[in-house]
Amino acid sequence: MKPLLSKRLVVTGAAGIVGTALRPLLAGLCEELVLTDLRPVENLVENERFKGGDIGDLDFVTEATAGADGIVHLAGRVGPDFTFEEVLGANIIGTRNVFESARRNQVPRVVYASSHHAVGFLRRGDHIDHSTAPRPDSHYGLSKAFGEELGAYYADRHGLAVLAIRIGYVGETVIDERRLHTWISPRDLFQLIKIGLTHPELRFEIVYGVSDNPDPFFDNHNAHHLGYRPQDRALDHLADESLRTSQPDPSTAAGVYVGGHFVNS
């Protein structure tokens, strides 16, 4: 049996698309995988436990994360059309509650699911790496930029080890031209999360959650410095072979900016 990395690991937003894809991989890292969400998580395996609640409630998050060795924070509203008021609870207050609960419970590590939409108003072709300052393309992207800064604060002020992953598009297949450059497979994202939960010298770092993609939007050398070696290629997972030769429309904002149609919100 492979050695476990953790006695207890907590995942927020476990009922979402990303959480569902990662569950089978994360369950192998720990004795107990605590899955939290507003929606029920079904078909639990032996070492999974569901705890329903709202991450906007600090007491709930503090209780859910008690005794954890690490938190994978995936919860939040995702989309270009949410207003500030709509992202305030889950994405901003909820993220603050996750980091504050980690501090209170002395949870040493947090992996934060940020997004490439934190830099979505940068142009394709710009040099974009882990040191690039946020240029959010939406209130969603703005909330993710806030979460990154919050993670840096809790790392510097309170000694947490924090990995912020600016995730691209998570899916089994690449469905359009833009996602050809932002796609990440579940197992490559899992590899980054594992780095965040185990890297011995981690304090606060930003990496990009992308697989081996052609003409990448992002310089992901910081992830490689931490040991990331993507196992999957976007070109091997195309929904349609015509995507190999597809091109963006430079007459549209969605074709010019990294954030795609999010910049139109």
Side-chain angles (χ1 to χ4, degrees):
M1 182 177 178
K2 293 174 64 176
L4 299 173
L5 299 178
S6 171
K7 290 185 177 180
R8 179 176 295 163
L9 183 63
V10 176
V11 180
T12 71
I17 293 173
V18 177
T20 300
L22 290 172
R23 270 177 58 198
L25 300 168
L26 293 172
L29 291 182
C30 54
E31 292 181 9
E32 183 182 36
L33 185 64
V34 180
L35 306 169
T36 75
D37 209 302
L38 284 169
R39 295 176 292 161
V41 176
E42 301 177 345
N43 302 316
L44 300 178
V45 300
E46 184 177 358
N47 69 329
E48 291 181 328
R49 179 167 65 89
F50 173 66
K51 193 170 183 63
D54 186 351
I55 63 168
D57 180 345
L58 178 59
D59 290 339
F60 164 73
V61 184
T62 302
E63 180 185 354
T65 58
D69 303 303
I71 302 170
V72 180
H73 178 36
L74 305 176
R77 289 188 165 188
V78 180
D81 299 322
F82 288 119
T83 65
F84 177 79
E85 288 75 19
E86 289 172 325
V87 301
L88 178 61
N91 296 33
I92 295 178
I93 294 174
T95 296
R96 178 265 179 185
N97 289 345
V98 168
F99 282 109
E100 177 60 16
S101 294
R103 182 193 71 80
R104 293 185 180 189
N105 288 327
Q106 298 183 318
V107 181
R109 291 175 178 265
V110 177
V111 177
Y112 170 59
S114 184
S115 170
H116 72 290
H117 291 291
V119 291
F121 252 122
L122 292 170
R123 292 173 175 266
R124 294 183 180 214
D126 288 351
H127 182 261
I128 306 172
D129 67 9
H130 64 288
S131 64
T132 300
R135 293 290 295 274
D137 56 23
S138 54
H139 287 108
Y140 166 68
L142 183 65
S143 73
K144 290 301 179 179
F146 170 81
E148 291 180 1
E149 295 303 305
L150 197 66
Y153 170 76
Y154 272 85
D156 293 339
R157 181 84 176 193
H158 301 295
L160 272 65
V162 179
L163 183 67
I165 306 175
R166 288 177 175 170
I167 298 173
Y169 168 73
V170 182
E172 293 297 329
T173 59
V174 178
I175 61 176
D176 60 27
E177 184 273 334
R178 195 179 71 85
R179 289 177 175 87
L180 184 64
H181 313 288
T182 63
W183 179 77
I184 186 168
S185 68
R187 72 168 176 171
D188 280 344
L189 181 55
F190 168 71
Q191 183 188 160
L192 286 170
I193 291 171
K194 188 175 179 181
I195 288 170
L197 294 172
T198 62
H199 196 286
E201 298 176 5
L202 180 69
R203 184 171 184 180
F204 174 79
E205 297 290 348
I206 293 172
V207 297
Y208 287 87
V210 290
S211 287
D212 181 1
N213 300 341
D215 301 319
F217 288 167
F218 314 112
D219 176 352
N220 210 16
H221 74 271
N222 198 41
H224 287 259
H225 174 73
L226 294 171
Y228 177 54
R229 300 294 184 270
Q231 300 298 301
D232 294 308
R233 299 172 67 245
L235 290 173
D236 295 333
H237 295 268
L238 301 179
D240 190 308
E241 285 297 314
S242 66
L243 291 173
R244 291 181 182 272
T245 57
S246 61
Q247 297 293 323
D249 182 353
S251 68
T252 65
V256 170
Y257 293 99
V258 164
H261 71 281
F262 276 56
V263 303
N264 297 320
S265 61

